[in-house]
Structures are given as structure tokens and as C-alpha cells.
Amino acid sequence: MKIPATPLYFEFEVRKTALVIIDMQRDFIEPGGFGETLGNDVSLLDAIVPACQAVLAAWRRAGGLVVHTREAHKPDLSDCPPAKRERGNPSLRIGDVGPMGRILVAGEPGNQIIPALAPAAGEIVIDKPGKGAFYATGLHETLYAQGITHLIFMGVTTEVCVQTSMREANDRGYDGLLLEDCTESYFPAFKTATVEMIRAQGAIVGWTCRSAALLAALQA
């Protein structure tokens, strides 16, 4: 399959490609969650949900592999380095009780993927202690065992967990495509800069395109 993208066409086979949905969690997306307590406008992130839903539904119909990630720590925070928890000066830190339970702790209400993009039976769900999907998760081994060579990314936030995951994937030999209208940041300028960085110098990190190109190819 070949779809128009920037800086050049992105070619892939569905059976060798996984759709990776990064951190579409209630605490980041929904009003009253952790993201909003930090002073962010979560409506920016919520706006991509319909496009993400359309891609996920089409990818499922095509029989492609789906991977969901959550930024999540163990309840005792043994997998959360002090440098990560203590950075900055937020009103709430990782492990503190927020509007939707303990912040970024596995099993808490806010740590769950939003209902609109809830994982289906058999789909891979990765709890990651870092920004990237590959760090301390075993994701590479899982994908390698299933013959995956290409990854299609969507999720939040563009400049942090999405970009980190794409760079990790690039270093492991995957070809990655970012769906521009299926990713977002609390800071629009950061998203714009990240998209440019990813596809610069002949797709140095990966390719980008809007979801319509992928949907058209899958429908064809």
C-alpha cells in the first residue's frame, strides 16, 4: 500500500504494520483531569478524538494490529525516578491524588484510556513508565515477534510522548508515519515544530500526512 505523505510516499503492508495510539488517557484529554489542573486547555486535545476514532475503526476493519499506550506508574512509584516526580513546580505531582484519582498511577480512573478509543479484546495495551513507548515496556520484542516493520502513530502530546516514541522506533529500525490531524499538543506551536522536525531531511524521524490519505487507501 502506498499513500501520499510528506516528504515522500509512505509504503506499507497492513499485516506488517501496527497502529500505535499514544496516551489518549482521561487525565490528559478530559475536563477536570490532570492536564487541566496544570492550566492547559484540554479542548485542544479532545478535538482530535473524532479523527482518531475514524482511523481506529478503519484499521480494525482492515485487520491491522493495534497498540494502546498509557503513561502509568506502579502504585508504590518504584518505577518513577525522583527526578521525574520532583521536576518543576506543579500543584500536583505523580502519585498525588487528583480529580480522577492518583496522578499517572496504573489502575486509577484518570489513567484509563478515554471510552471513545477504549481498547478492544486482543489489542495490545502498554503501561509505560517513561515518555517513550519502548522504554522498559518490551514493546519492541512484542512487535518483532509479530513481524511488524512499520508503525502508524497518533495520540498526545505531539512534542513529548509521541515524538519520543517515534524517535525510539526510528532507532529500532521501524518506518513511522504520524497522522497530523490525529495528534495534538497543549501548545499548538510545539505541534507545528515537531511535525516539521519529524519529516525534515527526507523523513529523518518519519513521515507525516493527514488521516484522509490513510483512510482512502484502506477503503480502496
Side-chain angles (χ1 to χ4, degrees), residues 140-216:
H140 176 56
E141 291 75 14
T142 298
L143 296 175
Y144 182 81
Q146 300 198 41
I148 299 298
T149 57
H150 291 61
L151 302 174
I152 297 174
F153 288 90
M154 58 187 193
V156 298
T157 59
T158 314
E159 77 279 9
V160 185
C161 295
V162 175
Q163 178 178 206
T164 302
S165 298
M166 289 194 72
R167 289 180 180 276
E168 288 181 332
N170 179 265
D171 284 344
R172 288 162 176 79
Y174 297 95
D175 283 339
L177 171 70
L178 176 63
L179 300 179
E180 298 167 20
D181 54 325
C182 293
T183 185
E184 195 51 83
S185 170
Y186 297 124
F187 308 96
F190 291 179
K191 173 185 173 177
T192 299
T194 301
V195 169
E196 292 292 340
M197 285 189 286
I198 285 169
R199 64 194 188 192
Q201 300 180 75
I204 192 169
V205 174
W207 288 252
T208 78
C209 73
R210 294 186 64 81
S211 61
L214 174 63
L215 293 175

Side-chain angles (χ1 to χ4, degrees), residues 1 16 22 64 90 96 190:
M1 195 171 292
K16 294 184 178 181
I22 302 290
D96 290 347
F190 291 179

Side-chain angles (χ1 to χ4, degrees), residues 33-184:
F34 180 48
E36 191 170 73
T37 70
L38 296 175
N40 297 309
D41 178 4
V42 297
S43 69
L44 293 170
L45 273 56
D46 182 66
I48 69 170
V49 172
C52 291
Q53 282 183 295
V55 169
L56 178 57
W59 194 253
R60 284 169 170 165
R61 288 193 297 270
L65 183 69
V66 179
V67 177
H68 305 261
T69 76
R70 299 178 293 212
E71 187 170 351
H73 293 282
K74 297 176 181 177
D76 65 1
L77 303 184
S78 60
D79 59 351
C80 181
K84 180 179 181 181
R85 187 172 191 274
E86 296 168 6
R87 187 161 300 162
N89 188 33
S91 59
L92 292 170
R93 296 186 182 276
I94 296 170
D96 290 347
V97 178
M100 297 183 188
R102 296 181 66 203
I103 302 299
L104 297 187
V105 170
E108 295 290 321
N111 202 238
Q112 304 309 304
I113 294 166
I114 60 172
L117 298 171
E123 293 178 348
I124 298 168
V125 180
I126 297 291
D127 281 341
K128 58 184 185 63
K131 301 296 188 288
F134 290 86
Y135 169 67
T137 64
L139 177 58
H140 176 56
E141 291 75 14
T142 298
L143 296 175
Y144 182 81
Q146 300 198 41
I148 299 298
T149 57
H150 291 61
L151 302 174
I152 297 174
F153 288 90
M154 58 187 193
V156 298
T157 59
T158 314
E159 77 279 9
V160 185
C161 295
V162 175
Q163 178 178 206
T164 302
S165 298
M166 289 194 72
R167 289 180 180 276
E168 288 181 332
N170 179 265
D171 284 344
R172 288 162 176 79
Y174 297 95
D175 283 339
L177 171 70
L178 176 63
L179 300 179
E180 298 167 20
D181 54 325
C182 293
T183 185
E184 195 51 83

